[in-house]
Every structure is written in C-alpha cells, then in structure tokens.
Amino acid sequence: MPAMATILPDGWRALPASGAAQRELQTLHALAQGLPDGYTVLHALHWTRVADGHQVVGEVDFVVIGPSGRVLLIEQKSGFLAEGESGLAKTYGERTKSVPAQMARTAAAIDGRLRQFCKGEKTPIESLLYCPDYTVRQPGTAGLPPERIVDAPRRAHLARIIQSILPVDEPAHPTRAQALKFFIGLIDLVPDVGAMAGQARVLYTRLSEGLATWARRIECTPHRLRVTATAGSGKTQLALALLDDARAAGRRALYVCYNRPLADHMAAIAAPGSEVATYHQLCDRAARADGVTPDYARAGAFRALEERFAARAPAPADCVDELIVDEGQDFEERWVAPLLARLRPGGRAFWLEDPMQNLYGRAPVALPGWVRLSAQVNYRTPRDILEAINRLVPLEQPVAAGSPLTGSEVEILTYADTAGLVRETTRAITNCIGAGFARDMIAVVTYRGREHSALTPYDRIGPYRLKAYTGRYDLFGNAVVGDGDIVIDSVHRFKGRSAPCVVFTEIDFAEGAPAADEAARRRLFVGATRATMKLVLVVSERAARVMLGAAAGSAA
C-alpha cells in the first residue's frame, strides 16, 4: 500500500457527521488517499490576529504543506454559490459574503503571523477555492484565477491539482520546519467543536436509547412502572418516546414534572400537541377552571392550591391514558393520589426519578406494587469528567460511565471573594471560548439558588452579556430572560437540562465544614453532570480544600 499524506489532527476517521461537516470529512478522505507521502494536511484550523486594536477571528478549512514547505490554503464552500459583478459569493442566512474577499483576508492574516513567527522570512502561501457541489459558470469574473478554482466538474482531480501547485520535486524552502511548527503550535489545532458537540449528542442518544427501548416493552397489570435512573441514562429520551407513542396511538398523554424550566424545555422539544406541565401548573389550571384565581402573594398559597387540587374530583376532560411523572424524587407523597386519579381505567403510569438529584431533601415516595426498573449508567457525560466527579464528590455508589468520550479534563479555578468569583467566572467563559465553544454552547450554572447567588444582580460579567431568568413570565406563560448570549441559571433550575460546555460556579460550603455533606454532594453531582463535553468548576478556596482533600483520600 503506497504511503499517504499525513493528516493532522488524527482521529478524524471516527467522526461521522452530516451537512457541511460531512462534506469536509469526505474531502479529508480524498486528500488522504490522493496525496502521497511528504504532504501534510491540517484541518479545522482557527486563526486570530489583531487589526487596529481589535481581535479578528476566522477559520481555514484545510492547510496543505507541500514537500518543499510551500503552503496552500484551501477554502471549501459546499452547496450553492452566487455569481455576480463582484465575483463569487456565499449566503449565510440573511448575509452574503464575498468569497474572494474572505480568502484574501485569511491569506493576509496568516501571512502576517507566519512571517512574524519565521523572524521576517517569507513563506510562499497559495490559495485555492474548492466548491465540490457547484459549477462555476463564469470563471473569468469569479474574482479568483480560474486555475485556483476546483468546482464540481473538477473535484475528482483535487489531489492532482494540489500536487501541480505544490510539486513534489520543488527545492525545499528554508522555512518548511518553522511553517509546520507554526500551524501545529500557534494555531489551535483541534477538530471543530460544534461538529464534535453534534456527534457527542448523536452518540449519547444512540447509547442511551436502551432505556427507552426496554422500559416501553415492559408489560404489567395495572401498568405502573417506576424507573430509577441516574443522570445521563436516557430518562428524557424515554419520556419523549412515550409521548410520541401515545400520539401515534391516539391516546392522550400528560407529562408532569416539578421544575418550571424543565417543563418549558420539554414543551419545546416534545412532539407538537404534547401536554406538559409542572404539578403546580396543573393545580393552578384546575383552580382557574373553577373560577378561582390563586393569590400567590399570600402565605401558604401553594399548599392551599395543592389541597384544593387533591379534593377536586377530576372531570372526564381532565383524564388521560398515559401519565408520565418526571423528577419523581422532587415530588411529595400527597401529590401521587391526585395524579393517579386522573388516569383513565386501563391507563398506564410511568414514574421517572433519580435519588441523587434530590436537591430538596424530600423523602422518597412510596409506590407499593409498582414494577421497578433501574438504570445506573451515565452515557451523556464524558468518561474522564465522571471519573473526576467520583473523586471530587464521594458518592455512596460511584456513577458508572457509559460514554466512550474522553479528553475533557476538568478545569478548577478558585476565588476568595465576590470580586474573585466574578473574575474567575469570566476567565472560565473566556477559556471555554478559547477552546472553540461558541457562546450558545456554554451554560453558567450557579451552585447557589437564584435568590442567594452573588451573580444574580449582574446582567454582564467582563465582556459577556448574560442570558438570565428575570423572575417574570409573559402573557403566554413563557419565562422572560435577559437579552444576553451566555446562559446563566441556578443548579436547581438547570436540573434536567444540559449543555456542551458547563461553567459550574459559586461552589462553596458552610464555614468550618470538614467535608461536603449529602446535600452538597447531590448538588455538585447534578451541576457537574450537566456537561456533555467540557466542565469548568469555579470553587471557593475553602471548598477547593475540601474537594481536593476528598480526591486525595479516594486516591489513597
């Protein structure tokens, strides 16, 4: 077998993808097979430079370094392109960008940085446009030399054209070693985080679908199934599948949870028409149907609402064929009977819970006679994050890791006071963005509740605007959040959700506590397992000593 080009970083063959990412992986396969030994192909490169005092961030799809050391920048544009008076252009949403201008900016930026790195010595840099899905109709007015455009009719010749630009027998350039070192060391050489996050989500869904499959096959009379499952085991997939099954069979299903943010999240991702509510929303709706408007300003308003709901005989219009209770560990014993009273004869009930996510210290609900199913493997959280959690948060029963993903070392930052908390949380966000995470992939989760968090008054920290719950709802019942681009919420409200990158901040324990108590361990576990790719802990100096001491003890 002939020697092939070197592709950096490696591991790309194990990354299935869709859309533009899939087209780029196909290009990597073509380059690996078509270019001989002596060529190095670098992919998913990100470059930065400072222009006029402002940082400019861009992306290069592929960089090929030939045997001589000359560099070829390849810009891949998948899909349709527009041709106009100013040359080729690509449309992104409502914006249209000039392809030649973008390529010129990229080449100029890299040329400037590379020349500085090579101490003034110039490295020859070439550019090439690769548009595998589009045929350029007017190459002469495309804004690029026609010989530097590889469109759909010529895509099979991509590797040959690259070799004609970077010949094998060309004399070696003195900056070859420096150029290779520059691209590997100074530019973040990492696969695209967005594509990896999508693959992590697909992988988690596939691995955790076992719970949804087997739980739905269990038959019992009456149908009462209690599912006790850890974070990331697939409870959400099970709930969604049950709602889909009911809809397809023409049966009425009701999903009930405790947290309003989780209910809002489920309503957004469940099939259209699915009935989703918190327990207290059900109580509120029943009261209003009877002409009673709850006064939540009065002391004991929620308890009075619950008692009214329990005493009210359900009308036929209130009854359902399928009842799905999520966050069962947060429910009170006295709420069970009113819910089951709304289940039609022959109806099915599912109770989903995780005792480790019991943040309110409530006693387990007794469900005598229910069939029980246990799932204690976490497929959502990368293996090395779970290993760190098991060291830092000593649990009675360590959580088993089901994800094969690794390489997500947990970062720990410490603070001494509120100013330090803000500074280190800002630093954590900056580090995550520097690692390739877009702002909408990052969630800041506070260890303390919204009412007690030192971060609640802030609508921005550092350069980052925060997207925080304001405590209000609009006329349609939707939570009103701030106009920011970094989500921030408490661990209580974020329970049941996840994000590719989580900054778990404001972690602190009681003064003088020699170790984290059970409530603290649960809160840490819940917050840490929200991350699907990267976790950063922002911890008080006091809590850091406790946690690191626990980790050292577990290692011994």
Side-chain angles (χ1 to χ4, degrees), residues 103-118:
M103 292 176 63
R105 285 195 301 270
T106 299
I110 289 183
D111 179 66
R113 292 195 64 196
L114 182 54
R115 187 179 301 207
Q116 183 180 21
F117 185 80
C118 294

Side-chain angles (χ1 to χ4, degrees), residues 36 107 198 207 273 287 296 298 354 388 423 535 540 553:
L207 290 174
Y296 292 108
R298 294 183 56 185
D354 178 10
R423 182 182 64 252
L535 174 66
S540 73

Side-chain angles (χ1 to χ4, degrees), residues 195-206:
M196 292 183 67
Q199 295 312 311
R201 184 166 54 251
V202 170
L203 179 63
Y204 159 56
T205 301
R206 178 168 59 83

